Amino acid sequence: MCGIVGYVGEKQAAPLIIEALKKLEYRGYDSSGISVLNSEGIFTAKKKGRIQELESMLDYSKIEGTLGIAHTRWATHGIPDEINAHPHLDCSGKIAIVHNGIIENYASLKEVLISEGHRIVSQTDSEIIAHLIEKFQKQGNPLEHSVKKALSLVEGTFGLAVLGTDKFGGPRIIAAKKGASLIIGIGNNEIILASDATAIINHTRKVIYLNDDEVAVLSKDGCFITKINGERVKNQIQEIKWSLEEIEKKNFKHFMLKEIMEQPEAVQNALRGRINGAVPKLSLKIDVNKTKRIILTACGTSWHSALIGKYLIEKIAQIPVEADYASEFRYRDPLISETDLVMAISQSGETADTLAALRQAKSKNAQTAGIVNVVGSTIAREVDSGIFLHAGPEIGVASTKAFTTQVVALALFALFLRHEKGIKDSPELMRELSMIPSKIKEFLTSAEGQIGGIAKEFYSSKNFLYLGRGVNFPVALEGALKLKEISYIHAEGYPAAEMKHGPIALVDDEMPVVFVATQSASTFDKITSNMQEIKARGGRIITITDEENSSIKSLSNFLVLVPKTIEELSPIINVLPLQLLAYKIADLKGLSIDKPRNLAKSVTVE
Ligand code: G6P
């Protein structure tokens, strides 16, 4: 997720768009850049780091011009540095583009462009758009048509702004959207374009929400919108009534809730371009035949994903896996050799213990890999190869969308290993994986009310027990962790069968017990016996399941129905009600949900 802005009007563009861009910093801030067009051509400046750093190197008196675009980057392809920062220019320097989204087929387009003599300087997927537009403009097409022709070749998502000059119509910005938001603010003799309304409302509250496959031409003559196929679109101007803070959080009360609700898109992005028939498309440098064992190492929520990864890889790819807390692994002087693959899982890519575990594995000549959200982070740079989550920035301290996308990445990884090992591919699993985003959406669209009701019943409880088996035991751990982190209620996650070896002593009529009991689980019958045991001791049962049946109904005080999926993928769905339950309880207690006490988003100390 990146942020883009553009301006066409009578004011100096540079200071205005930098101010507007700062409002989008929450969308990512590993590097930023600006292009301004004047009679001498396009001036461009880029800088690694926060927008403040770009701003402090700019001398506005030297950047005159009333048309400009700018970008704050959240890297997806290519490390965060000045070359990969946007705007990207074509070979002639007469076209500048900023892009938010992912171009899936960029590698093949890049190859063609290079063979045609284009000089592509960055590692990004975005730069190829500038060169495609250049190619079509050189063939005599107007700028707008060149953009449309370029976009008809790309697969993926885009919120795009192109700064250039049309030989018939003069200087202009062409904006286009598919799968990434783009809003056009209509002011007095000025137009401000941005990824979201936060960057616009200081200037105007009159906006047009660009729809997918629409292209807008922004110039001193106004705003003209057509579809990529040429059909004219009537400008639908609407008035924004939200406050700035509401827009940043997209009207959600907290970033955590926004990130929970964002999971259908986050998971879709994690899958984007990676599902191709029965074999996942991943660029991993792993010698699978040499790999005798895989060690997944991580901290916190990422360690819970690792536990699920162990289950998935052993079942799907039949390679032995260990899931280890990074802090334990690194101090144990573990027995590692070159036949091991050590995979570090980390949202931030900066967690000190996970990084140290990775370095130790490298020093013992193991192969290494990563599953990381933040591109350009230290872990992402130090592993031999890896899988990026593409979940977008996670701002709430309690991890949500990073967890579900990690499990997706691990499922893809397991399927990749299976294929490399020559075991018969599993098209059913791939098919089910591709349906997961819509199942997440199906649940999240209707769940808030019901989970809010359960939260009201239990928010003053002192203890919670979460139970699950098999691949859903780590989900129980994650549910308990979410509750502890943001509501400060003591909670424990346990394998359901282990409950009778200790925790059952705690159960009385004050104790809520959450069962993760989807019926796809091979141990479903065993779980119902565990429920009987709790019920017999007066415990109050909240059941997460995927099919209502009379025995489960009579055992449960509250029943939460989730969409059905296969057992291997059920953690991705089953964790959703647990995230929401923790959120709703913390909200009822009026706590600081996005920044809970004593916790940090990224723990870079040991
Ligand atoms: C902190 C965060 C957790 C996170 C853990 C690991 O404790 O509060 O939400 O799961 O670090 O972080 P990582 O960035 O390595 O996934």
Side-chain angles (χ1 to χ4, degrees), residues 1-3 26-28 72-74 76 100 258 262 392-393 401:
M1 193 161 78
C2 305
Y26 77 94
R27 299 172 67 93
T72 178
R73 183 165 184 244
W74 168 261
T76 58
N100 168 28
K258 171 174 171 272
E262 238 161 42
K401 61 179 179 173

Side-chain angles (χ1 to χ4, degrees), residues 178-281:
K178 185 177 189 175
S181 60
L182 210 49
I183 301 174
I184 301 166
I186 308 290
N188 288 332
N189 299 323
E190 62 183 6
I191 299 170
I192 302 135
L193 172 77
S195 301
D196 69 47
T198 41
I200 295 178
I201 56 169
N202 280 348
H203 303 276
T204 176
R205 284 184 169 264
K206 291 203 178 97
V207 297
I208 300 170
Y209 292 93
L210 215 56
N211 293 310
D212 277 356
D213 296 316
E214 288 180 353
V215 175
V217 178
L218 315 175
S219 71
K220 61 176 173 22
D221 301 323
C223 165
F224 295 93
I225 304 176
T226 51
K227 294 213 162 148
I228 293 187
N229 66 15
E231 223 174 282
R232 181 87 173 89
V233 175
K234 200 167 164 270
N235 291 0
Q236 302 269 10
I237 300 182
Q238 303 184 32
E239 179 128 3
I240 301 177
K241 301 211 165 74
W242 297 351
S243 72
L244 198 65
E245 218 213 343
E246 278 168 340
I247 298 168
E248 261 182 14
K249 292 186 189 142
K250 287 209 185 135
N251 220 13
F252 290 110
K253 196 168 170 191
H254 297 95
F255 277 108
M256 182 181 175
L257 183 59
K258 171 174 171 272
E259 286 156 9
I260 290 174
M261 293 303 181
E262 238 161 42
Q263 288 176 107
E265 299 85 59
V267 166
Q268 186 69 62
N269 283 337
L271 289 170
R272 197 176 295 287
R274 290 170 171 168
I275 292 198
N276 185 16
V279 189
K281 266 169 67 183

